[in-house]
Amino acid sequence: MHTMEWPGIRSRVLQLLCCAMFAAGFGGSAAAQCIFDIDGNGQVDALTDGMLILRAGLGMTGAALTQGALGPNASRTDPTAILNLVNSNKATQYDLDGSGAFDSATDGTMIMRIMLGLTGDSVTAGATANSSPRADWNSIDLFVQGGCGAGPSAQLKDAARFLTQATWGPTHAEILALASSPPPQVDNWITQQFAQPRVNHLDFINARAALGTVSTSDTYQSFWTQALTGPDQLRQRVNYALSQIIVVSDQKDALVNSPWAIAGYYDALAKNSFGNFRTLLEDITKNPGMAIYLDWRCNEGQSAASLPNENYARELMQLFSIGTVWLNQDGTPMLDGSGNPIPTYDQSVVQGFAKVFTGWANAGTYWCHYPDTPGWSDPMIPWQGHHSLDSKKLLSLTPPGPNVVLAAQTPATENAQADLTAALDNIFNHPNVAPYIGKQLIKFLVTSNPSSGYVSRVAAKFNDNGSGVRGDLQAVIRAVLTDTEARDLTVALGPTFGKLREPAMRFGNMLRTFHATAASQRIRINDISDPRFGMGQQPLSSPTVFNFYPFDYSPPGPLGSAVPQLLGPEFGITDSTTLVTFSNNMKEVIFAGWISGPDELVLDYASLASLATVPTDIADYLNLVMAGGVMSPTTYAQIVFAVAQVPMTGSSWQSDRWKNAIWILFNSPEYIIQR
């Protein structure tokens, strides 16, 4: 792997990216569609609008131009106004084949056919020449779908932005399908995704084990296969977000090569990602991967030699559910009479929960060694004689208010499950859970700095899904993704909206959006955590329980110095060095492929070859699929210029043009900052 130095990058790149999130007026191409409604009645009709374009192209004027060609309720009827409209767009919007001029016999014919609902060769047959820059249906369809050179429509922009938030990377076909689907498009898509079946990672591990030895690399292969190719893209994206809130990592010595434990943990998240948060708490608590990671499996409650381990008790509250201070329902800290945040718990509560989490181990035998067989993925069970019999102080549910206390037990009444149920109910019913979990999901999926109103609306859905149910994650996810703040492009282009795409997401976006495949038909991605030769971030391998970066991190510069201070959590693993090494490694992906041999993943440039003739077609395509329709004019011009420098000679000019264009946009703020 080579290293490339960019002039001045180490001193300026972070500031550039921070400013991209902060600068007012971050813009792009104008939102517009092809101007085909010539008579202005709100409808496109081949017998009226198409006829007007054809007649104007043939030089007809006055009454001869409009006679019999105006639709009902037409608002544009003056022949001069119609002629001016058509003439002002002939050389751009109506030049479908890209020849540089409008021709009624070719461009006009194709426009008429498109207005009649034809597609494919039925549009282009006899109406294009091989010498035309856009000589096939794919390139002409792209031109029309992209707004005929005027930029993607508002519907396409919203579809692209939504799928960027809800998947591991939108494809062009998915964007077009969503934008053209019956309304309400986003709600319907979410409903369909909730119904998608789930595939167990453990099934993959067990299948691999039947063929021989399994390792952590098999877990990674299963993860990336589902993330990049799974039809349940919403689950894949949400599950990855949950794995960064409720963290288990294979970086702990006991889990460093435990594919069953890690796969079982991720399956437990996926099983509940569209379920109820209370069930998720129960399943993840009993998950042996979690219990090993945070040291509460075989936690002894009746040992005179030591106190119960407090690790899981503390992190369950601090990181996985309520946070350290009381929150208002809009996610802001609740303050006492002196203006100080009110703590949600103290050490005595940690000790109380630690006693709850005692007496649990794997089924079969009370065996506390490391997990290396399939049985270690099964939920833990309580073991009589190992659970703490003491009373247990839990959380207060009002600030301030009395703490819930579980009564002491005797050997005859010992009931670890009853204590666990009461403790998890106590956490689940704490008022903080709704704004805490809701805000975290917003930050991982949509924006790092949601407004208090956005958080409040999502928290309300956690508290009540509309049918009196608390903790319905489907209702929460829908609220996160359909909120006005998430969908309004005006808000998205504001100075505080957006989030830095973390390395794993940028890597995954590229592979999925451009249909990366390998000769082996496998997606065999091993550890990519090394910033020198990988991406600096491997899912399921965070360095600590605090995830890859602090959720409240604010980078120095425009974000950190803003009043009020703005957050940029993903900047916690982003500096001038990691940006350069990551960029260099991704250059290998774009220009050559990931790894080598039969498992080498190569982006699919062959399907894009027919679109490489016209530089603006490439820029329009990338503006939609990578930038969500908000590419800046400067970046657009840079891409068009760079593409035009690749001559249309040799055997690889089409793919070379795409590689150069993708490389430029990949390193631009418009892509790195998700809007």
Side-chain angles (χ1 to χ4, degrees), residues 384-395:
Q384 189 75 9
H386 295 275
H387 182 62
S388 172
L389 303 178
D390 295 344
S391 62
K392 303 165 182 74
K393 184 178 180 181
L394 305 182
L395 293 165

Side-chain angles (χ1 to χ4, degrees), residues 193-268:
Q193 284 289 298
F194 286 154
Q196 286 284 348
R198 180 176 63 87
V199 177
N200 276 317
H201 291 280
L202 278 171
D203 291 343
F204 181 87
I205 298 300
N206 288 330
R208 295 289 295 167
L211 301 175
T213 303
V214 293
S215 67
T216 300
S217 63
D218 294 297
T219 310
Y220 297 159
Q221 182 178 341
S222 183
F223 173 92
W224 285 111
T225 298
Q226 288 201 34
L228 301 183
T229 67
D232 58 337
Q233 276 296 297
L234 182 58
R235 178 185 288 110
Q236 298 303 323
R237 183 68 188 269
V238 170
N239 214 42
Y240 181 53
L242 288 172
S243 75
Q244 296 190 77
I245 302 169
I246 303 172
V247 175
V248 166
S249 170
D250 63 11
Q251 293 305 291
K252 187 182 180 75
D253 287 345
L255 296 174
V256 72
N257 194 21
S258 304
W260 281 285
I262 298 298
Y265 149 76
Y266 207 60
D267 279 343

Side-chain angles (χ1 to χ4, degrees), residues 294-314 347-360 366 386-392:
L294 291 181
D295 308 309
W296 84 273
R297 185 181 62 133
C298 297
N299 204 8
E300 283 292 336
Q302 300 184 33
S303 170
S306 63
L307 295 173
N309 189 292
E310 299 173 359
N311 207 7
Y312 183 64
R314 180 175 290 103
Q347 179 59 20
S348 65
V349 174
V350 174
Q351 292 172 337
F353 274 96
K355 292 176 182 177
V356 169
F357 302 129
T358 57
W360 291 78
Y366 191 75
H386 295 275
H387 182 62
S388 172
L389 303 178
D390 295 344
S391 62
K392 303 165 182 74

Side-chain angles (χ1 to χ4, degrees), residues 120-406:
D121 293 341
S122 298
V123 171
T124 58
T128 63
N130 291 333
S131 59
S132 300
R134 285 187 285 266
D136 57 38
W137 167 246
N138 284 341
S139 58
I140 288 169
D141 184 41
L142 170 67
F143 179 70
V144 174
Q145 292 285 358
C148 295
S153 67
Q155 292 91 336
L156 285 171
K157 282 184 178 182
D158 188 54
R161 289 186 58 251
F162 169 75
L163 291 172
T164 297
Q165 296 162 354
T167 74
W168 269 85
T171 67
H172 191 257
E174 288 170 341
I175 294 169
L176 298 185
L178 178 60
S180 62
S181 64
Q185 288 96 340
V186 166
D187 266 311
N188 290 341
W189 187 91
I190 292 173
T191 299
Q192 292 163 4
Q193 284 289 298
F194 286 154
Q196 286 284 348
R198 180 176 63 87
V199 177
N200 276 317
H201 291 280
L202 278 171
D203 291 343
F204 181 87
I205 298 300
N206 288 330
R208 295 289 295 167
L211 301 175
T213 303
V214 293
S215 67
T216 300
S217 63
D218 294 297
T219 310
Y220 297 159
Q221 182 178 341
S222 183
F223 173 92
W224 285 111
T225 298
Q226 288 201 34
L228 301 183
T229 67
D232 58 337
Q233 276 296 297
L234 182 58
R235 178 185 288 110
Q236 298 303 323
R237 183 68 188 269
V238 170
N239 214 42
Y240 181 53
L242 288 172
S243 75
Q244 296 190 77
I245 302 169
I246 303 172
V247 175
V248 166
S249 170
D250 63 11
Q251 293 305 291
K252 187 182 180 75
D253 287 345
L255 296 174
V256 72
N257 194 21
S258 304
W260 281 285
I262 298 298
Y265 149 76
Y266 207 60
D267 279 343
L269 287 181
K271 174 186 173 184
N272 295 287
S273 58
F274 292 164
N276 192 282
F277 189 75
R278 174 61 180 84
T279 308
L280 173 61
L281 285 178
E282 182 102 13
D283 286 359
I284 210 66
T285 296
K286 292 180 178 179
N287 179 264
M290 173 63 77
I292 294 165
Y293 185 60
L294 291 181
D295 308 309
W296 84 273
R297 185 181 62 133
C298 297
N299 204 8
E300 283 292 336
Q302 300 184 33
S303 170
S306 63
L307 295 173
N309 189 292
E310 299 173 359
N311 207 7
Y312 183 64
R314 180 175 290 103
E315 308 308 351
L316 176 61
M317 294 184 288
Q318 177 183 0
L319 300 175
F320 302 169
S321 60
I322 63 171
T324 57
V325 300
W326 275 88
L327 301 174
N328 298 305
Q329 289 302 288
D330 64 3
T332 58
M334 193 178 295
L335 306 178
D336 62 18
S338 301
N340 298 313
I342 305 171
T344 48
Y345 59 87
D346 58 19
Q347 179 59 20
S348 65
V349 174
V350 174
Q351 292 172 337
F353 274 96
K355 292 176 182 177
V356 169
F357 302 129
T358 57
W360 291 78
N362 292 83
T365 61
Y366 191 75
W367 191 50
C368 302
H369 296 292
Y370 293 163
D372 55 6
T373 60
W376 288 104
S377 62
D378 296 334
M380 298 188 303
I381 64 170
W383 286 84
Q384 189 75 9
H386 295 275
H387 182 62
S388 172
L389 303 178
D390 295 344
S391 62
K392 303 165 182 74
K393 184 178 180 181
L394 305 182
L395 293 165
S396 167
L397 298 181
T398 57
N403 289 78
V404 174
V405 178
L406 301 182

Side-chain angles (χ1 to χ4, degrees), residues 371-612:
D372 55 6
T373 60
W376 288 104
S377 62
D378 296 334
M380 298 188 303
I381 64 170
W383 286 84
Q384 189 75 9
H386 295 275
H387 182 62
S388 172
L389 303 178
D390 295 344
S391 62
K392 303 165 182 74
K393 184 178 180 181
L394 305 182
L395 293 165
S396 167
L397 298 181
T398 57
N403 289 78
V404 174
V405 178
L406 301 182
Q409 299 174 351
T410 68
T413 62
E414 178 184 341
N415 193 328
Q417 179 60 62
D419 276 355
L420 185 70
T421 298
L424 296 182
D425 284 346
N426 176 245
I427 290 175
F428 176 66
N429 289 306
H430 193 284
N432 265 31
V433 180
Y436 181 85
I437 294 298
K439 189 172 185 178
Q440 293 283 60
L441 287 173
I442 293 171
K443 289 164 70 174
F444 279 110
L445 299 178
V446 179
T447 180
S448 297
N449 295 282
S451 70
S452 57
Y454 189 0
V455 176
S456 182
R457 292 187 291 272
V458 171
K461 284 298 182 182
F462 185 101
N463 291 327
D464 185 342
N465 68 352
S467 300
V469 176
R470 177 178 175 81
D472 179 0
L473 289 175
Q474 288 193 16
V476 173
I477 294 163
R478 192 184 295 274
V480 168
L481 293 173
T482 62
D483 190 86
T484 302
E485 196 163 326
R487 299 275 52 84
D488 190 333
L489 185 59
T490 303
V491 174
L493 295 178
T496 64
F497 192 89
K499 65 189 297 292
L500 178 70
R501 298 186 203 235
E502 58 194 280
M505 286 303 306
R506 273 180 273 165
F507 178 67
N509 285 169
M510 197 60 53
L511 297 180
R512 186 169 193 276
T513 296
F514 295 100
H515 309 285
T517 56
S520 66
Q521 301 300 308
R522 296 191 298 183
I523 299 180
R524 193 172 183 180
I525 299 171
N526 292 328
D527 189 358
I528 59 171
S529 61
D530 190 325
R532 298 169 301 168
F533 309 113
M535 305 304 152
Q537 185 187 28
Q538 169 59 51
L540 307 178
S541 300
S542 65
T544 73
V545 71
F546 293 92
N547 192 29
F548 299 99
Y549 40 79
F551 68 85
D552 57 353
Y553 179 73
S554 181
L559 298 182
S561 61
V563 180
Q565 188 182 63
L566 297 172
L567 303 180
E570 294 84 359
F571 282 96
I573 54 171
T574 306
D575 56 35
S576 58
T577 300
T578 59
L579 271 174
V580 171
T581 56
F582 175 78
S583 181
N584 281 331
N585 295 336
M586 280 304 303
K587 186 176 183 181
E588 296 293 327
V589 175
I590 294 168
F591 281 83
W594 181 249
I595 67 174
S596 59
D599 292 327
E600 179 184 24
L601 286 165
V602 180
L603 305 190
D604 177 18
Y605 296 115
S607 65
L608 301 171
S610 64
L611 308 178

Side-chain angles (χ1 to χ4, degrees), residues 53-59 101-110 112:
I53 293 174
L54 279 178
R55 289 177 178 178
L58 292 170
F102 173 78
D103 186 326
S104 294
T106 56
D107 302 305
T109 297
M110 289 190 287
M112 290 285 285

